[in-house]
Structure formats: structure tokens, C-alpha cells
Amino acid sequence: MNKLKLRLQLEQYFLEDIGDRDLTSELIFGEGQIGKVIFLAKDNGIFCGEEIVRSGFKVLNPAAEVNIKVRDGEWIEKGQILAEASGPVSDLLKGERVILNLVQRISGIATKTNEAVRVLNSSHTKICDTRKTTPGLRMLEKYAVRAGGGFNHRYGLYDAVMIKDNHISFAGSIAKAVEEVRSKIGHMVKVEVETETKEQVLEAAEAGADVIMFDNRSPEEIKEWIRSVPNGIVTEASGGITLDNLQAYSDTGVDFISLGFLTHSVKSLDISVKVIVE
């Protein structure tokens, strides 16, 4: 995780919530009143967000003392103390809600990713995410996928070519679309082609795609079509795959399975904050 980018994002998140000041805390607590906040797990799952807790309170007060008791990617149990932070009460209260919301969100993503990895139970096929992330939270959500044992797909529209059905329709064919991008990109950029038929798979392979995606295809179709993919071309399955049918894809031979639900509809992990005024 890019710590500089995280700090800049945290400043924006705090600005949105605090505005000019925390009216309630400043009216009740004096500047010198010291306290502690304790993060407690209220459910079992995978923890993610240690740097958010560490950096978050220090953005508001560099002198804040933060003690992280678990590492990202660790399994946590209900009732477990996850982190503590000490400092002026007004500063702790300014930050605890934003920090807690973020930690709950990405811990939920890490937990769901870990569940998907365990359900798939494959020594070959890897679980990865998609671009179906929350605007402004992509870096954190993709980090959470890694913490849960998954892998990242492209980060955005800028770091890889992904030729989808609409691109193919406008270009006229897969071959023409691949030829067009190959003539304009450097050797470090990968080209992925989304396919829906065996004929498209063959065309994508012939065109020199680096990655071929089987879009909304059954495990049986993938098992058959993947035999036509030359060695050296990475394969991916996506679309219509849920936790309920995920295990059926474990022996298809596909290299990656991308799952939008890891980030777009995940439930936050239940974590609470206890405040102690000293």
C-alpha cells in the first residue's frame, strides 16, 4: 500500500467528516484531556487496515500513540482486541468513525476473499478482483483482496488493454481490435480479450492475445475450450460465478477467476470502538 497516497486520502476523508471542526468533542473535552480508543472484533474474519489505524490517528495528531495488535491478513475472533490508540480525546473522537468505517469495509473484503479462496480450494487457479470497486477506495479495496489471499486484476483503464464485446463490435473483429492496439502500445502492456464463443477463443489466440477471458461460460464449456488455448496464454473465467458454484470451476484448468462480488457487494466486518477517558 502506498503510504503517501493513503495519508493524502485520509486527509480528504477527515475533511469530509470534520469540516471546520468537531463541534461536539471540542465543546465537551478540553485540549489536554487524554483518553484511549480500543478496536474490538465483534465477529470472526480476516483483519485488514493496520496502516489505516496507524496513519489515521497520526494525521490528526502526530503525537498520538498507536498500538496495532494484529497484522493484515490474520484471522481474528469475536471479542479480540485489534488495536489501541491514545492521545487527546478530541483528536481520537475526530478520527475514530472514519478509521473504523474504512477498517470494517476492507476487513470485510479480505474476509470474503479468503472465503472464496477456501471454497475454490485449488492449487492452480487464483482468485482475483475486478474494477467494480468503490470510487475513492480502489487502492484500499484491492489491497484488502491481497490481504485475503487473492490477486489483483488491472488497477484501472490505464494499465492493461482489455478488449470487450463493445470494442470488438466497433472494431469489426477481435483480430482487428488486437492488431490496432498492438500497433500503438509498448511491449510491457498486456492485452486481454473477452470471449463468449469457441470461435472467439480461437480468433483471440490467433491474434496473439496475452490473456483470454471466458465470459459467462460454464465449467464444462471452459474445460472444452481451454484445450484450444496455446501454452503461454493466460486464461481467466468471469461472469455468473458465485460462492455457490465457485468450487465447480476448480478443475477447469483456468488460471484466474475474477469475482466482482469481492468488492461491489461485500458486507463490512463487524468491529467496534470502545472509548476510555483518562
PDB file of all heavy atoms in Angstrom, residues 162-175:
ATOM      1  N   MET A 162      -7.966  -4.324 -22.251  1.00  0.00           N
ATOM      2  CA  MET A 162      -8.979  -5.361 -22.107  1.00  0.00           C
ATOM      3  C   MET A 162     -10.046  -5.138 -23.171  1.00  0.00           C
ATOM      4  O   MET A 162     -10.854  -4.212 -23.092  1.00  0.00           O
ATOM      5  CB  MET A 162      -9.593  -5.343 -20.719  1.00  0.00           C
ATOM      6  CG  MET A 162     -10.530  -6.503 -20.446  1.00  0.00           C
ATOM      7  SD  MET A 162     -10.972  -6.601 -18.688  1.00  0.00           S
ATOM      8  CE  MET A 162     -12.132  -7.957 -18.729  1.00  0.00           C
ATOM      9  N   ILE A 163     -10.033  -5.989 -24.191  1.00  0.00           N
ATOM     10  CA  ILE A 163     -10.931  -5.840 -25.330  1.00  0.00           C
ATOM     11  C   ILE A 163     -12.214  -6.606 -25.062  1.00  0.00           C
ATOM     12  O   ILE A 163     -12.232  -7.834 -24.996  1.00  0.00           O
ATOM     13  CB  ILE A 163     -10.258  -6.343 -26.620  1.00  0.00           C
ATOM     14  CG1 ILE A 163      -8.976  -5.539 -26.889  1.00  0.00           C
ATOM     15  CG2 ILE A 163     -11.210  -6.225 -27.809  1.00  0.00           C
ATOM     16  CD1 ILE A 163      -8.143  -6.073 -28.036  1.00  0.00           C
ATOM     17  N   LYS A 164     -13.307  -5.848 -24.874  1.00  0.00           N
ATOM     18  CA  LYS A 164     -14.594  -6.442 -24.537  1.00  0.00           C
ATOM     19  C   LYS A 164     -15.511  -6.454 -25.761  1.00  0.00           C
ATOM     20  O   LYS A 164     -15.128  -6.006 -26.839  1.00  0.00           O
ATOM     21  CB  LYS A 164     -15.212  -5.668 -23.366  1.00  0.00           C
ATOM     22  CG  LYS A 164     -14.331  -5.660 -22.111  1.00  0.00           C
ATOM     23  CD  LYS A 164     -14.830  -4.692 -21.069  1.00  0.00           C
ATOM     24  CE  LYS A 164     -16.101  -5.178 -20.397  1.00  0.00           C
ATOM     25  NZ  LYS A 164     -15.849  -6.345 -19.517  1.00  0.00           N
ATOM     26  N   ASP A 165     -16.723  -6.938 -25.550  1.00  0.00           N
ATOM     27  CA  ASP A 165     -17.647  -7.121 -26.676  1.00  0.00           C
ATOM     28  C   ASP A 165     -17.927  -5.828 -27.445  1.00  0.00           C
ATOM     29  O   ASP A 165     -17.999  -5.827 -28.682  1.00  0.00           O
ATOM     30  CB  ASP A 165     -18.956  -7.758 -26.198  1.00  0.00           C
ATOM     31  CG  ASP A 165     -19.605  -7.002 -25.044  1.00  0.00           C
ATOM     32  OD1 ASP A 165     -18.999  -6.036 -24.527  1.00  0.00           O
ATOM     33  OD2 ASP A 165     -20.723  -7.383 -24.648  1.00  0.00           O
ATOM     34  N   ASN A 166     -18.076  -4.709 -26.725  1.00  0.00           N
ATOM     35  CA  ASN A 166     -18.340  -3.440 -27.406  1.00  0.00           C
ATOM     36  C   ASN A 166     -17.156  -2.988 -28.254  1.00  0.00           C
ATOM     37  O   ASN A 166     -17.337  -2.442 -29.353  1.00  0.00           O
ATOM     38  CB  ASN A 166     -18.696  -2.351 -26.392  1.00  0.00           C
ATOM     39  CG  ASN A 166     -20.078  -2.547 -25.798  1.00  0.00           C
ATOM     40  OD1 ASN A 166     -20.937  -3.172 -26.419  1.00  0.00           O
ATOM     41  ND2 ASN A 166     -20.305  -2.022 -24.604  1.00  0.00           N
ATOM     42  N   HIS A 167     -15.947  -3.200 -27.734  1.00  0.00           N
ATOM     43  CA  HIS A 167     -14.765  -2.861 -28.520  1.00  0.00           C
ATOM     44  C   HIS A 167     -14.714  -3.695 -29.804  1.00  0.00           C
ATOM     45  O   HIS A 167     -14.402  -3.193 -30.889  1.00  0.00           O
ATOM     46  CB  HIS A 167     -13.485  -3.111 -27.709  1.00  0.00           C
ATOM     47  CG  HIS A 167     -13.398  -2.343 -26.434  1.00  0.00           C
ATOM     48  ND1 HIS A 167     -13.453  -2.936 -25.197  1.00  0.00           N
ATOM     49  CD2 HIS A 167     -13.266  -1.013 -26.203  1.00  0.00           C
ATOM     50  CE1 HIS A 167     -13.339  -2.027 -24.265  1.00  0.00           C
ATOM     51  NE2 HIS A 167     -13.238  -0.843 -24.837  1.00  0.00           N
ATOM     52  N   ILE A 168     -15.033  -4.978 -29.649  1.00  0.00           N
ATOM     53  CA  ILE A 168     -14.998  -5.885 -30.800  1.00  0.00           C
ATOM     54  C   ILE A 168     -16.040  -5.475 -31.840  1.00  0.00           C
ATOM     55  O   ILE A 168     -15.769  -5.465 -33.041  1.00  0.00           O
ATOM     56  CB  ILE A 168     -15.227  -7.344 -30.344  1.00  0.00           C
ATOM     57  CG1 ILE A 168     -14.081  -7.797 -29.435  1.00  0.00           C
ATOM     58  CG2 ILE A 168     -15.355  -8.283 -31.540  1.00  0.00           C
ATOM     59  CD1 ILE A 168     -14.358  -9.097 -28.689  1.00  0.00           C
ATOM     60  N   SER A 169     -17.222  -5.110 -31.362  1.00  0.00           N
ATOM     61  CA  SER A 169     -18.295  -4.703 -32.282  1.00  0.00           C
ATOM     62  C   SER A 169     -17.894  -3.483 -33.100  1.00  0.00           C
ATOM     63  O   SER A 169     -18.081  -3.437 -34.325  1.00  0.00           O
ATOM     64  CB  SER A 169     -19.572  -4.405 -31.495  1.00  0.00           C
ATOM     65  OG  SER A 169     -20.055  -5.569 -30.860  1.00  0.00           O
ATOM     66  N   PHE A 170     -17.324  -2.479 -32.439  1.00  0.00           N
ATOM     67  CA  PHE A 170     -16.935  -1.254 -33.140  1.00  0.00           C
ATOM     68  C   PHE A 170     -15.725  -1.480 -34.053  1.00  0.00           C
ATOM     69  O   PHE A 170     -15.626  -0.887 -35.121  1.00  0.00           O
ATOM     70  CB  PHE A 170     -16.639  -0.129 -32.142  1.00  0.00           C
ATOM     71  CG  PHE A 170     -17.874   0.525 -31.578  1.00  0.00           C
ATOM     72  CD1 PHE A 170     -18.192   0.428 -30.233  1.00  0.00           C
ATOM     73  CD2 PHE A 170     -18.733   1.240 -32.405  1.00  0.00           C
ATOM     74  CE1 PHE A 170     -19.331   1.025 -29.711  1.00  0.00           C
ATOM     75  CE2 PHE A 170     -19.879   1.843 -31.903  1.00  0.00           C
ATOM     76  CZ  PHE A 170     -20.176   1.740 -30.555  1.00  0.00           C
ATOM     77  N   ALA A 171     -14.800  -2.351 -33.600  1.00  0.00           N
ATOM     78  CA  ALA A 171     -13.591  -2.593 -34.400  1.00  0.00           C
ATOM     79  C   ALA A 171     -13.883  -3.464 -35.611  1.00  0.00           C
ATOM     80  O   ALA A 171     -13.193  -3.382 -36.624  1.00  0.00           O
ATOM     81  CB  ALA A 171     -12.513  -3.239 -33.537  1.00  0.00           C
ATOM     82  N   GLY A 172     -14.882  -4.313 -35.491  1.00  0.00           N
ATOM     83  CA  GLY A 172     -15.236  -5.208 -36.593  1.00  0.00           C
ATOM     84  C   GLY A 172     -14.889  -6.655 -36.341  1.00  0.00           C
ATOM     85  O   GLY A 172     -15.554  -7.558 -36.847  1.00  0.00           O
ATOM     86  N   SER A 173     -13.829  -6.891 -35.559  1.00  0.00           N
ATOM     87  CA  SER A 173     -13.440  -8.264 -35.215  1.00  0.00           C
ATOM     88  C   SER A 173     -12.394  -8.219 -34.116  1.00  0.00           C
ATOM     89  O   SER A 173     -11.784  -7.172 -33.853  1.00  0.00           O
ATOM     90  CB  SER A 173     -12.872  -9.000 -36.431  1.00  0.00           C
ATOM     91  OG  SER A 173     -11.612  -8.457 -36.798  1.00  0.00           O
ATOM     92  N   ILE A 174     -12.181  -9.372 -33.477  1.00  0.00           N
ATOM     93  CA  ILE A 174     -11.132  -9.470 -32.466  1.00  0.00           C
ATOM     94  C   ILE A 174      -9.767  -9.209 -33.098  1.00  0.00           C
ATOM     95  O   ILE A 174      -8.934  -8.480 -32.543  1.00  0.00           O
ATOM     96  CB  ILE A 174     -11.166 -10.857 -31.796  1.00  0.00           C
ATOM     97  CG1 ILE A 174     -12.403 -10.984 -30.904  1.00  0.00           C
ATOM     98  CG2 ILE A 174      -9.889 -11.112 -30.987  1.00  0.00           C
ATOM     99  CD1 ILE A 174     -12.609 -12.372 -30.322  1.00  0.00           C
ATOM    100  N   ALA A 175      -9.540  -9.810 -34.259  1.00  0.00           N
ATOM    101  CA  ALA A 175      -8.243  -9.661 -34.932  1.00  0.00           C
ATOM    102  C   ALA A 175      -7.925  -8.195 -35.209  1.00  0.00           C
ATOM    103  O   ALA A 175      -6.799  -7.731 -34.992  1.00  0.00           O
ATOM    104  CB  ALA A 175      -8.234 -10.468 -36.224  1.00  0.00           C
TER     105      ALA A 175
END
